Amino acid sequence: MTDLMAIAQTYQLWVIEDCAQAIGATWQGQKVGSIGHIGCFSFYPTKNLGACGDGGAVTTNDEAIAHKIRVLADHGRIESYYHEAIGVNSRLDALQAEILSIKLQHLDQWNALRSQRATYYSQHLCDIANLHLPTVPSGGKSVWNQYTIRITDAPSLPTAPPAVGRDRVRSSLQQDGISTMIYYPLPLHQQPVYLQQAPIHPLPIAESVTHQVLSLPMFPELTSLQQNQVVEALRKLSTEKTLP
Ligand SMILES: Cc1ncc(COP(=O)(O)O)c(C=O)c1O
């Protein structure tokens, strides 16, 4: 963010932070969502602060932007039945707001528990070959919405398609009753909607990482017994050479 803000300042750009997975995270002690001009948060149920349905919030220190966002989120309405813009219906439901305000009181504790779970994974998986673990740059504090590893195929499998290792590991874990997710199976620039709109511009790193990523179980209530099962299952795959 420091580098990004410097570039933005030089070229007079707006910075919109996508904090959907990062509520409570900090960079150099500053909360994400307060560093750029606008921060966008998601309260989708899988997020660290999840509603029992959809929801979200926008943060900004700019009064004019705050006004505009309030208007846009309320069908462009400035007062009852007077519309100054074409907006959307994106009001936060009162019931969701109530649920979120109760859950918000627990957020720091839940984030700390996620952090402990992440440390456990990192300590117990670090010696397994071809597993690449997530790291946090110094100065940053992650809130671990996901613990996403990368699985790369060994050089002994030069002709294997890139997904072989990851997909094999995923289905073996599934057979052991361990659910994992792929965030995300198709990078943004290859989504059908964008393919229709613009010529495809290759992004080779995003495209190859898509075939390597695997998000392990991660939530505050994850017990050490469950986490140990994940670790042992991965270790077993490594010994059996299912893991490349
Ligand atoms: C990084 C990121 N950005 C944006 C979104 C979109 O959030 P919402 O579904 O609340 O609009 C998500 C949700 O999955 C996300 O993970």
Side-chain angles (χ1 to χ4, degrees):
M1 285 308 294
T2 309
D3 294 345
L4 213 57
M5 293 313 293
I7 294 168
Q9 197 162 19
T10 306
Y11 297 99
Q12 298 192 328
L13 304 172
W14 295 97
V15 176
I16 301 174
E17 295 179 68
D18 179 348
C19 309
Q21 298 186 359
I23 190 162
T26 58
W27 174 245
Q28 293 182 341
Q30 196 175 347
K31 284 257 162 74
V32 301
S34 70
I35 307 170
H37 300 93
I38 300 177
C40 302
F41 293 84
S42 169
F43 302 139
Y44 187 75
T46 58
K47 299 298 192 282
N48 290 31
L49 180 62
C52 291
D54 265 310
V58 175
T59 51
T60 182
N61 275 330
D62 185 311
E63 280 294 342
I65 294 174
H67 170 77
K68 184 136 201 168
I69 289 167
R70 283 194 191 103
V71 168
L72 289 174
D74 191 16
H75 266 317
R77 204 154 53 166
I78 42 166
E79 58 181 275
S80 287
Y81 313 118
Y82 287 88
H83 299 257
E84 77 173 15
I86 307 277
V88 289
N89 179 358
S90 188
R91 296 179 289 260
L92 185 65
D93 188 90
L95 183 62
Q96 298 302 342
E98 188 57 33
I99 291 165
L100 288 164
S101 58
I102 293 167
K103 291 182 80 175
L104 180 61
Q105 296 161 30
H106 304 277
L107 180 64
D108 287 346
Q109 187 207 347
W110 288 334
N111 282 346
L113 288 170
R114 282 175 182 270
S115 185
Q116 284 172 18
R117 304 316 179 243
T119 304
Y120 184 92
Y121 276 141
S122 297
Q123 283 173 347
H124 290 82
L125 298 174
C126 61
D127 59 335
I128 302 182
N130 300 324
L131 278 195
H132 304 267
L133 307 181
T135 55
V136 180
S138 108
K141 191 182 108 198
S142 173
V143 289
W144 300 102
N145 180 245
Q146 306 298 335
Y147 188 92
T148 302
I149 60 172
R150 280 192 308 117
I151 298 168
T152 50
D153 288 285
S156 58
L157 290 171
T159 54
V164 160
R166 189 274 311 273
D167 290 350
R168 215 166 40 197
V169 170
R170 186 171 192 222
S171 58
S172 299
L173 291 176
Q174 191 62 50
Q175 279 164 22
D176 284 345
I178 298 167
S179 290
T180 55
M181 291 295 285
I182 296 170
Y183 295 119
Y184 292 96
L186 198 59
L188 200 58
H189 67 293
Q190 291 183 331
Q191 293 291 336
V193 62
Y194 290 119
L195 291 181
Q196 288 159 18
Q197 288 182 17
I200 183 161
H201 210 80
L203 295 172
I205 295 175
E207 286 158 29
S208 75
V209 162
T210 281
H211 297 288
Q212 299 170 348
V213 287
L214 191 67
S215 297
L216 302 182
M218 168 55 80
F219 44 91
E221 299 81 8
L222 191 65
T223 64
S224 39
L225 189 68
Q226 290 169 323
Q227 257 202 306
N228 201 38
Q229 282 170 354
V230 180
V231 168
E232 285 310 314
L234 283 167
R235 198 166 285 290
K236 190 179 78 177
L237 295 179
S238 166
T239 320
E240 288 170 354
K241 301 268 183 262
T242 301
L243 217 163

